[in-house]
Amino acid sequence: MSATGALIDGTVLLAQNNILLSPELASRLQFGWTITVHILFAALSIGLAPYIVYFTWKDVRSDDPAYARLRSFWINVFAVGFVMGTVTGIPMSFQFGTNFPRFAEVSGELIGGPLAFEAKMAFFLEAVFLGILLFGRERVSDRTYVLSSILTGVGAWLSGFWILVVNAWMQTPRGFELVERNGVEIAKLTDPVAAFFTPRMPWMYVHMMNASVIAVTLVVAGIAAYFVWRNRDSVAWNTALRMAVVVLLITAPLQALHGDAYGRHVADTQPQKFAAMEAHYETGQADLHLIAIPRSLDALTDPRTDNLFTISLPGLGSFLASGGDFSAEVVGLHEYDENPPVALVFWSFRLMVGLGFLFVGLALWGGNRLRKGRLADSGRYLRAMMLSSPLGYVALLTGWYVTEIGRQPWVVQGVLKTSDAVSRSLTATEATGTLVAFVVLYLALLAAFGAVLKWLIEGELERMGVRTVDDTSRPRLPWVSGDD
């Protein structure tokens, strides 16, 4: 039976058993799942770009084979991630039309420009110069090659900029007025500068870019630690591990400091989201729960203080929200008619912050061993970095969930509710069926990426001489030459 036939049969089975999801819930889950997978690859391009530039520059300048090895390996990972990011990102624009047409109708004049800039400026910049990185090492000058690595990175970071322009506008919309056009109320652009550079934009951009660098740094550190663990004398991967530790020493504390100030901005502009982050229901002084452990299974879905074992700092929530007043009043969730899914926001925020402190600890631990010149001697540290490889992405995703789920029930804060943006003509069968299809398809794409990454790692082990396999039996990526 074909995959398409299996999906159709599966959807029919769901319908026969009356367990189809509502069009609204299925559409939310479908877009949430799509962006969850896409953001993994988008962050990979953003976070890996600085490493590509550095390794390329060092390779050209020093002609050191260790940097050539690192450049080649990570450009291959970047290229595969770029392809996956493109494939997983394209359906999102179609979902605006098929699942959320009202959102596209209301905000099209505001979001159309940034999305077009992202596609025609950032994407093509990244794609064209990535081609030179893959095929041009022996065909262009050293200066052009280094410049290509820089412009590839600029494309990745510009792509993130334009996407976050759109998302920041959805969080704190500015530069528009609501007008009626053909009997439909839409947001008309009145001030492009105000619409593009909303109050949320600088906060979100710095936090997201730094989070992407941290996530990729942990991946680089984990893979480098694995190679060093297999061969302690590997010059290339000892270099990569040292660089990852240095980057983590800079970015992890920066994220904690910036996150504190970012939280204050959220309290000013989206107090409901801030209250959900602490499950703060009653208006008044707010504590900050450093540790929250559920007393029962019910606490997982209803994380009120009475349902939790907590270690809290009294008044610190008020201090963060007000910028210095431990007794400042924080508006509670009971003041609002509709609230976001509080449990998802609360636990996502706890996980993101907890992992952030773990990353600071890993950075200080590695920095101390680096200072002593014994970074690669500790099997315990190498194993810790290997195990921590995926945790940067977990923190990035949970932070994204806090941002997006915490904005609910609004898709555009104060302008359009998510429930009003969903297509009225979409049936439960269509919505549930496409949700199942996207889950299956994107799981297959994740599995394919994992298989290619495993293949690249095994190839590197062979080059290091710690794994012996007949090289002629291995398939090659189409852009990888024999020398690579």
Side-chain angles (χ1 to χ4, degrees), residues 113-190:
L115 291 180
F117 280 130
E118 194 273 336
K120 295 183 178 179
M121 178 198 296
F123 174 78
F124 281 105
L125 186 68
E126 189 177 355
V128 168
F129 287 98
L130 176 59
I132 296 178
L133 282 184
L134 291 171
F135 301 107
R137 184 66 188 99
E138 307 300 329
R139 295 180 174 85
V140 300
S141 66
D142 288 350
R143 183 175 299 180
T144 301
Y145 198 70
V146 173
L147 181 62
S148 298
S149 71
I150 294 172
L151 292 177
T152 300
V154 169
W157 282 56
L158 262 182
S159 182
F161 172 80
W162 288 117
I163 293 299
L164 291 179
V165 163
V166 172
N167 196 274
W169 181 80
M170 294 164 66
Q171 305 287 337
T172 53
R174 298 287 189 280
F176 74 100
E177 64 177 0
L178 291 175
V179 300
E180 188 172 305
R181 186 176 294 173
N182 298 325
V184 177
E185 192 174 53
I186 67 163
K188 179 183 177 184
L189 180 65
T190 58

Side-chain angles (χ1 to χ4, degrees), residues 73 226-227 229-231 234 451-475:
F73 181 87
Y226 174 68
F227 286 135
W229 180 61
R230 297 293 301 269
N231 180 3
S234 171
V452 173
L453 185 60
K454 179 174 179 289
W455 179 83
L456 288 170
I457 291 173
E458 289 177 346
E460 185 64 21
L461 290 174
E462 291 172 31
R463 293 183 185 91
M464 293 167 64
V466 295
R467 183 177 185 273
T468 304
V469 173
D470 181 7
D471 191 57
T472 59
S473 67
R474 287 173 53 81

Side-chain angles (χ1 to χ4, degrees), residues 218-461:
L218 287 167
V219 172
V220 172
I223 290 177
Y226 174 68
F227 286 135
V228 171
W229 180 61
R230 297 293 301 269
N231 180 3
R232 302 294 173 107
D233 297 325
S234 171
V235 175
W237 292 104
N238 273 289
T239 300
L241 182 60
R242 287 195 299 271
M243 181 179 174
V245 169
V246 171
V247 173
L248 199 61
L249 275 169
I250 298 170
T251 54
L254 172 64
Q255 193 75 342
L257 295 173
H258 184 268
D260 169 52
Y262 187 6
R264 199 170 308 146
H265 166 76
V266 170
D268 291 339
T269 55
Q270 292 177 305
Q272 189 178 9
K273 180 188 291 184
F274 185 85
M277 288 156 58
E278 289 298 331
H280 180 70
Y281 283 89
E282 303 293 339
T283 299
Q285 185 189 53
D287 301 337
L288 182 72
H289 303 317
L290 292 179
I291 295 176
I293 300 173
R295 295 180 187 275
S296 65
L297 290 177
D298 292 340
L300 293 174
T301 55
D302 187 11
R304 298 168 194 267
T305 303
D306 292 343
N307 296 338
L308 303 170
F309 170 78
T310 62
I311 297 178
S312 308
L313 293 177
L316 190 58
S318 295
F319 181 88
L320 295 177
S322 64
D325 184 357
F326 283 98
S327 60
E329 183 178 88
V330 175
V331 177
L333 292 166
H334 284 321
E335 302 294 330
Y336 301 96
D337 294 331
E338 295 178 273
N339 285 319
V342 177
L344 289 176
V345 178
F346 179 85
W347 292 116
S348 294
F349 182 69
R350 304 258 90 67
L351 189 55
M352 176 190 70
V353 173
L355 288 173
F357 283 113
L358 172 64
F359 302 156
V360 173
L362 288 173
L364 295 176
W365 183 10
N368 183 50
R369 297 204 64 83
L370 188 62
R371 182 179 61 83
K372 296 178 178 177
R374 301 173 59 187
L375 183 62
D377 295 342
S378 171
R380 187 180 300 175
Y381 187 72
L382 296 179
R383 284 193 293 273
M385 297 310 291
M386 284 186 267
L387 292 173
S388 300
S389 282
L391 297 184
Y393 273 106
V394 175
L396 186 145
L397 286 174
T398 50
W400 190 254
Y401 295 156
V402 172
T403 300
E404 299 305 296
I405 299 174
R407 189 188 57 231
Q408 302 303 320
W410 302 98
V411 63
V412 180
Q413 184 76 42
V415 176
L416 179 66
K417 288 187 175 180
T418 308
S419 57
D420 294 331
V422 176
S423 171
R424 301 300 180 200
S425 61
L426 196 63
T427 67
T429 302
E430 292 168 342
T432 306
T434 52
L435 168 63
V436 172
F438 270 99
V439 170
V440 172
L441 176 62
Y442 276 41
L443 283 176
L445 289 172
L446 286 173
F449 177 77
V452 173
L453 185 60
K454 179 174 179 289
W455 179 83
L456 288 170
I457 291 173
E458 289 177 346
E460 185 64 21
L461 290 174

